[in-house]
Amino acid sequence: MLSNIFQLGLKELRSLQRDYALLLLILWAFSLGVYTAASSMPESLHHASIAVVDEDRSALSQRLVDAFQEPYFRTPQRIDLAEMDRGMDGGRYTFTLNIPANFQRDVLAGRRPAVQLNVDATQVSQAFTGAGYIQSIGLAEVSEFLQHYRGTPAQAAELQVKVSFNPNLTRAWFGSVMEVINQITMLSIILTGAALIREREHGTVEHLLVMPVTPLEIMLAKVWSMGLVVLLATALSLLLVVQGWLQVPIHGSLLLFLGATALHLFATTSMGIFFGTVARSMPQLGLLIILVLIPLQILSGGTTPRESMPELVQQLMLAAPTTHFVSLAQAILYRGAGLSIVWPQLLAIIVIGSLFFLAALLRFRKTLAQMA
């Protein structure tokens, strides 16, 4: 039995070796896919374009212009009033600030002059946050100008903020690891489902039916071979892309994480086989995966915290292996958790994976019986 499982698994690996489209997908997903997902997640305000119409030309207006600095803003562009609307309409500036004439004189006289801020709200990721930044910076600069010194008044109480596990709040640290986790789930389902569809399209399923192998042996062969491919790609991605290219520190044990990944792959490859028995072609398999994969990734806690979701959704997603895998992956890779902390999630993945495997095996046997 072990020999059959091993030889059938080698056959799956040889078939994958000839499928250049899937090989390219694996290579891209665990390299450029991870890098782009991490680097394309901008900070709350990062290199926002800003232009200033300075009609005052005073020391205070110059102070306001100089206050907008990197990395939050690009170097402010000085423009005239006629160019302000054209720049906003053309999408060249996210923010344009119009400082009126006699601004400094009115501030010193206590007349409370108004400064016009135009915001391109189509830049959703930065528009609203940036408007708040600009207002805060402007008020601070005017206040310090009137007080003739730069400083923070003493407060009755002080809040000490300590940021753990990601002291600089770098979003790339979160985005890269979460993308690796998403790719593990996606590729394991796609590879096993595609392997079954490929055999049906090439007619090799009929060859398996006349061989002295059982449906269990065929399934286990697909599980270990496709799981091994994803596991190796995961290890290389964490070492070369996450730690090497993106310089993201990994605090926990990689061996413990890879062991947990192997258990998770047992569940997701079983799901892929189940979908492969339901779908009749690659396009149908793709549609099924989209319908299942998007909720698994969005509602498992990898995109938003589960605590912010409705209670019903939280309870329903406990039946998904991705929920427990995301939880233990964050605990191991971010917080350096050990086996004594993540064993409940490991146990849940084993139970859920076993149920998925049994369901896929029953469906696979039924499919083979119909073809015999």
Side-chain angles (χ1 to χ4, degrees):
M1 178 179 178
L2 294 178
S3 177
N4 289 340
I5 295 173
F6 179 73
Q7 295 298 330
L8 288 172
L10 292 180
K11 178 188 73 67
E12 296 295 338
L13 293 176
R14 285 192 292 267
S15 298
L16 178 62
Q17 185 180 3
R18 295 189 293 269
D19 196 329
Y20 298 112
L22 284 180
L23 289 176
L24 184 61
L25 176 62
I26 296 171
L27 178 62
W28 181 88
F30 284 101
S31 57
L32 293 177
V34 174
Y35 179 80
T36 54
S39 59
S40 64
M41 294 182 66
E43 307 299 331
S44 56
L45 189 66
H46 188 70
H47 284 181
S49 58
I50 182 171
V52 179
V53 179
D54 188 359
E55 297 181 288
D56 191 34
R57 300 287 178 175
S58 64
L60 179 55
S61 64
Q62 181 62 45
R63 181 169 180 156
L64 285 175
V65 174
D66 293 340
F68 303 111
Q69 300 179 358
E70 294 185 351
Y72 299 114
F73 299 94
R74 296 177 183 172
T75 302
Q77 301 293 317
R78 291 184 177 272
I79 59 176
D80 56 30
L81 192 61
E83 191 181 352
M84 182 175 66
D85 289 337
R86 292 198 302 268
M88 293 290 290
D89 294 340
R92 294 196 300 273
Y93 312 120
T94 304
F95 306 99
T96 56
L97 194 68
N98 184 8
I99 303 175
N102 302 320
F103 175 67
Q104 178 176 311
R105 186 188 67 183
D106 291 342
V107 167
L108 293 175
R111 298 192 183 97
R112 302 177 64 86
V115 176
Q116 182 183 14
L117 174 64
N118 298 318
V119 181
D120 182 2
T122 60
Q123 307 290 338
V124 178
S125 61
Q126 295 189 342
F128 301 106
T129 303
Y133 272 61
I134 293 173
Q135 183 180 20
S136 176
I137 291 172
L139 291 176
E141 292 297 329
V142 171
S143 175
E144 291 171 0
F145 179 79
L146 292 175
Q147 295 173 5
H148 301 290
Y149 75 92
R150 184 183 297 272
T152 303
Q155 302 292 331
E158 184 177 359
L159 178 64
Q160 292 287 344
V161 179
K162 295 183 179 180
V163 181
S164 300
F165 314 119
N166 188 353
N168 295 325
L169 298 178
T170 305
R171 294 195 177 187
W173 289 18
F174 177 83
S176 59
V177 175
M178 286 299 100
E179 186 64 17
V180 171
I181 294 173
N182 289 337
Q183 300 295 0
I184 290 172
T185 302
M186 180 184 73
L187 266 299
S188 57
I189 294 176
I190 290 176
L191 290 180
T192 47
L196 193 57
I197 297 294
R198 185 169 54 240
E199 286 191 341
R200 183 183 294 122
E201 291 178 345
H202 295 172
T204 54
V205 174
E206 287 78 3
H207 298 166
L208 294 176
L209 293 176
V210 299
M211 294 176 63
V213 293
T214 64
L216 177 62
E217 294 172 352
I218 299 173
M219 265 195 64
L220 288 175
K222 296 182 185 300
V223 167
W224 83 257
S225 58
M226 298 299 101
L228 179 63
V229 171
V230 177
L231 190 64
L232 291 176
T234 301
L236 291 175
S237 181
L238 287 174
L239 292 173
L240 301 180
V241 180
V242 177
Q243 288 186 305
W245 195 356
L246 294 169
Q247 298 295 312
V248 178
I250 301 297
H251 296 288
S253 170
L254 283 178
L255 291 178
L256 178 59
F257 173 72
L258 292 177
T261 302
L263 293 178
H264 178 63
L265 289 171
F266 173 66
T268 52
T269 50
S270 300
M271 294 173 61
I273 293 175
F274 183 86
F275 295 148
T277 60
V278 174
R280 297 302 176 188
S281 62
M282 285 292 187
Q284 288 186 7
L285 177 65
L287 291 175
L288 282 175
I289 290 176
I290 290 174
L291 291 174
V292 175
L293 192 63
I294 292 178
L296 286 180
Q297 293 184 350
I298 294 178
L299 303 178
S300 61
T303 304
T304 56
R306 295 185 63 247
E307 292 79 6
S308 63
M309 302 177 189
E311 185 67 26
L312 178 61
V313 175
Q314 295 184 38
Q315 298 301 323
L316 289 176
M317 288 306 296
L318 291 177
T322 50
T323 301
H324 308 282
F325 182 59
V326 167
S327 176
L328 70 86
Q330 291 178 345
I332 295 172
L333 299 179
Y334 292 150
R335 300 187 288 272
L339 182 61
S340 60
I341 296 178
V342 300
W343 71 264
Q345 288 84 9
L346 291 174
L347 182 60
I349 291 176
I350 293 173
V351 173
I352 296 173
S354 300
L355 294 176
F356 276 125
F357 184 84
L358 290 176
L361 179 60
L362 293 175
R363 176 73 187 180
F364 188 50
R365 283 177 173 170
K366 182 179 179 181
T367 303
L368 292 181
Q370 293 174 350
M371 298 178 62

